[in-house]
Amino acid sequence: MDDNTADHVGISSQVCKERQSTWSREFPSINKGTFSISCVRDTPFNVVIRGVDSSGKFVTGYWIALAIRRNCASFLVNVNGKIQRVAKVTEQTQTKAIGYEAGRRITYWLSFDRDNKLLKFGKGYRMKETTLLKADFKKVAATNDVFNHMFFSSDNRKWIDQYDSANFTTNLERRSLDYGTAEVTFDSEPVTTNRSPIVRDSELANMFDIERGCFTFSSDLPLPCQTLYNNVKASHMTIHSAGSPSEKNNLIDAIRRSIESDEGVLHRKLLEKQEKSRGVFNEMYLRVTLGQNFGNSPGIPYVLEIWPKGHGSPIHSHGNAYGVIRVLHGGIRVHIYNNDAMDRNQQPLTSFDAVKGDITWLSPKWFQTHRLWNDTDDFCATLQCYKYGEEDDTHCPYFEYVSKTNEIGQFMPNSDFSFLEMYQLVMAEYQVKTKENNKKKHECTVM
Ligand SMILES: [Fe+2]
């Protein structure tokens, strides 16, 4: 029997054997939330949602299940012993991989939205773009009180169980999940809508902003991002504000000249980095660090990044850190990828432009994997800042990136210059060049 055809037989038999699941947990909030499991799977599995009665026993005859198979996924419902498939998606109808992906570590997630009576299944980050399957129960819940009570009421708690189903022909073998490497998480919020990557200061928000949903308000940022945001939001946190009054307006010209001139210190640093990493030349940018590392971020937390025109980064993620990015000069295109990005040429989930003054953010759940690219005709400067979350007990010091051979590499976010060092070097270059130009002008005038 094909493992894509016998979903309900297997699940039904498994669920009858109470406590036979490989993983079981109560919903943290009553009948809503998002379950996710990151693991390497090479066999089918089911995720089953069922209730408990007032005496704490599992309710029999009623459950909802997500069945993940080799190349498809389905939602199935058992109503008083009658099992029906209510939604299915296969790889024949999609360009994406729908079922389990043998040999790859994948995050499979299931969202249960009690209030909207909507179930979703997806892979990777929890976004509209990563959602693969939906089952909408609004109509049936509106006309069937028993159904609504059993699955979507807020007065009886649900449990979520994960079952393995390796071989249906021998009737539901239960195999143990590799707990050693599987990572299970459970959020109290279902997947509803995307967050905006662009931050709007809450003090400047208006009703149109709320209505349009184009921004994430600063007070709604995750706490580590709020801290970072508050440290970089000041009006004088601009590249123009650096230096003495006579110098400050020249810093942008000085940086531009240093990038574009063959003898410029920034140009030479870009060449040196390319030679050392043997990477792709236009996947180079400069990291100019500010201040000290306090031990709560990957590398020094505040970094001025300089992106020459036509340059960008490879696809990379940030070691599960929180981050805030303020564009100080020019503009940059941000491409967002899923957490299993493996191909440097793959299409992003979504992209947006950030220009001078914009502030964007990232967290372990949102916008963590990205690629920044400067397609403008001038350099771009961004102020990037990072912080580990309070819940982070790993403090991964590395960022991960997709190499030019499509392998996952790690890099330590280090420093090409300190800010003061870079400032003094480029301004010294600029002053020498300015003097030379003035001298030439003077000679031309005299002649
Ligand atoms: Fe980044």
Side-chain angles (χ1 to χ4, degrees):
M1 189 182 292
D2 188 285
D3 73 356
N4 292 327
T5 61
D7 303 331
H8 65 283
V9 179
I11 298 170
S12 181
S13 178
Q14 284 182 321
V15 173
C16 288
K17 299 173 187 172
E18 292 198 3
R19 304 286 184 186
Q20 291 285 302
S21 63
T22 50
W23 190 90
S24 182
R25 186 164 163 183
E26 192 175 14
F27 271 82
S29 53
I30 297 179
N31 303 349
K32 58 192 285 194
T34 305
F35 157 85
S36 76
I37 183 164
S38 297
C39 57
V40 179
R41 291 292 310 205
D42 57 1
T43 53
F45 66 104
N46 310 308
V47 180
V48 178
I49 297 155
R50 55 181 168 162
V52 287
D53 62 22
S54 53
S55 61
K57 286 189 177 168
F58 284 114
V59 175
T60 55
Y62 289 87
W63 47 252
I64 294 181
L66 166 68
I68 300 176
R69 301 292 175 262
R70 189 176 59 245
N71 55 15
C72 71
S74 305
F75 281 121
L76 300 136
V77 181
N78 180 357
V79 179
N80 201 18
K82 191 178 171 201
I83 299 166
Q84 265 191 307
R85 178 184 282 136
V86 290
K88 181 176 181 179
V89 63
T90 70
E91 285 172 15
Q92 282 78 46
T93 59
Q94 288 272 337
T95 53
K96 298 168 186 167
I98 302 297
Y100 62 83
E101 295 176 50
R104 296 190 68 201
R105 188 175 182 84
I106 298 290
T107 304
Y108 304 89
W109 58 258
L110 167 65
S111 164
F112 193 99
D113 186 343
R114 176 197 68 203
D115 302 333
N116 291 305
K117 305 180 196 324
L118 185 62
L119 269 70
K120 295 180 183 174
F121 157 65
K123 291 185 191 173
Y125 298 122
R126 299 154 193 192
M127 300 172 69
K128 186 177 147 197
E129 292 81 1
T130 62
T131 302
L132 298 169
L133 180 64
K134 291 182 197 174
D136 187 339
F137 294 98
K138 266 193 215 77
K139 273 188 190 163
V140 60
T143 54
N144 185 331
D145 288 344
V146 175
F147 183 91
N148 188 51
H149 175 74
M150 295 308 293
F151 296 116
F152 296 108
S153 69
S154 56
D155 55 5
N156 63 347
R157 283 195 173 269
K158 296 285 183 295
W159 280 71
I160 188 158
D161 303 305
Q162 187 255 310
Y163 295 85
D164 288 351
S165 49
N167 186 347
F168 284 118
T169 58
T170 57
N171 196 21
L172 319 170
E173 285 185 9
R174 175 175 168 265
R175 293 176 49 184
S176 63
L177 184 69
D178 182 355
Y179 282 102
T181 56
E183 186 186 325
V184 176
T185 60
F186 211 140
D187 279 1
S188 55
E189 292 173 11
V191 175
T192 54
T193 187
N194 282 0
R195 296 292 191 97
S196 168
I198 301 287
V199 184
R200 176 92 159 149
D201 196 292
S202 295
E203 289 194 8
L204 303 175
N206 59 47
M207 288 190 289
F208 291 98
D209 291 336
I210 297 173
E211 169 70 8
R212 289 174 184 140
C214 297
F215 301 106
T216 293
F217 299 122
S218 56
S219 299
D220 284 336
L221 288 170
L223 282 178
C225 289
Q226 287 189 40
T227 303
L228 298 170
Y229 176 83
N230 287 333
N231 289 344
V232 301
K233 72 172 185 175
S235 59
H236 49 264
M237 191 69 74
T238 66
I239 207 157
H240 292 281
S241 302
S244 66
S246 61
E247 290 171 337
K248 68 180 184 183
N249 291 329
N250 295 331
L251 182 55
I252 287 175
D253 288 341
I255 291 173
R256 185 183 296 113
R257 187 199 163 277
S258 190
I259 294 169
E260 292 179 0
S261 164
D262 286 350
E263 73 272 16
V265 66
L266 301 186
H267 184 86
R268 284 185 280 122
K269 177 59 80 174
L270 286 162
L271 286 175
E272 179 193 315
K273 285 182 75 167
Q274 194 251 338
E275 211 164 277
K276 209 181 277 181
S277 69
R278 294 182 184 154
V280 181
F281 179 64
N282 60 356
E283 279 186 359
M284 289 292 152
Y285 57 97
L286 296 168
R287 303 188 89 253
V288 180
T289 49
L290 300 101
Q292 303 301 311
N293 186 345
F294 299 103
N296 62 354
S297 59
I300 290 176
Y302 295 90
V303 188
L304 171 66
E305 293 192 346
I306 296 174
W307 308 84
K309 60 186 176 188
H311 282 235
S313 70
I315 299 169
H316 65 282
S317 62
H318 293 84
N320 269 343
Y322 293 81
V324 160
I325 302 169
R326 177 169 179 160
V327 182
L328 300 180
H329 176 76
I332 197 125
R333 175 148 272 233
V334 183
H335 303 285
I336 305 296
Y337 294 85
N338 211 345
N339 64 353
D340 63 340
M342 289 285 290
D343 179 353
R344 52 185 284 107
N345 295 315
Q346 75 186 77
Q347 288 299 307
L349 295 172
T350 184
S351 303
F352 63 93
D353 291 317
V355 297
K356 184 181 170 185
D358 284 344
I359 296 182
T360 179
W361 65 285
L362 57 92
S363 74
K365 289 180 190 167
W366 289 99
F367 319 123
Q368 174 76 192
T369 304
H370 67 186
R371 171 182 223 169
L372 275 60
W373 204 267
N374 177 6
D375 279 324
T376 72
D377 57 3
D378 193 9
F379 80 91
C380 174
T382 56
L383 180 56
Q384 321 255 351
C385 33
Y386 304 103
K387 196 174 190 302
Y388 295 126
E390 290 296 324
E391 75 288 356
D392 187 343
D393 59 3
T394 305
H395 282 204
C396 176
Y398 302 106
F399 292 168
E400 289 192 335
Y401 70 102
V402 182
S403 75
K404 64 179 179 183
T405 53
N406 285 337
E407 287 161 310
I408 300 297
Q410 289 185 325
F411 73 95
M412 187 72 87
N414 49 20
S415 176
D416 296 320
F417 302 96
S418 72
F419 179 65
L420 204 53
E421 182 189 13
M422 184 280 294
Y423 178 79
Q424 287 167 344
L425 284 168
V426 300
M427 288 308 291
E429 279 180 353
Y430 187 75
Q431 279 154 10
V432 168
K433 197 69 190 170
T434 305
K435 272 184 196 163
E436 283 174 10
N437 288 344
N438 288 344
K439 195 176 166 193
K440 276 183 197 164
K441 269 189 209 162
H442 178 70
E443 285 167 358
C444 287
T445 312
V446 171
M447 286 169 72

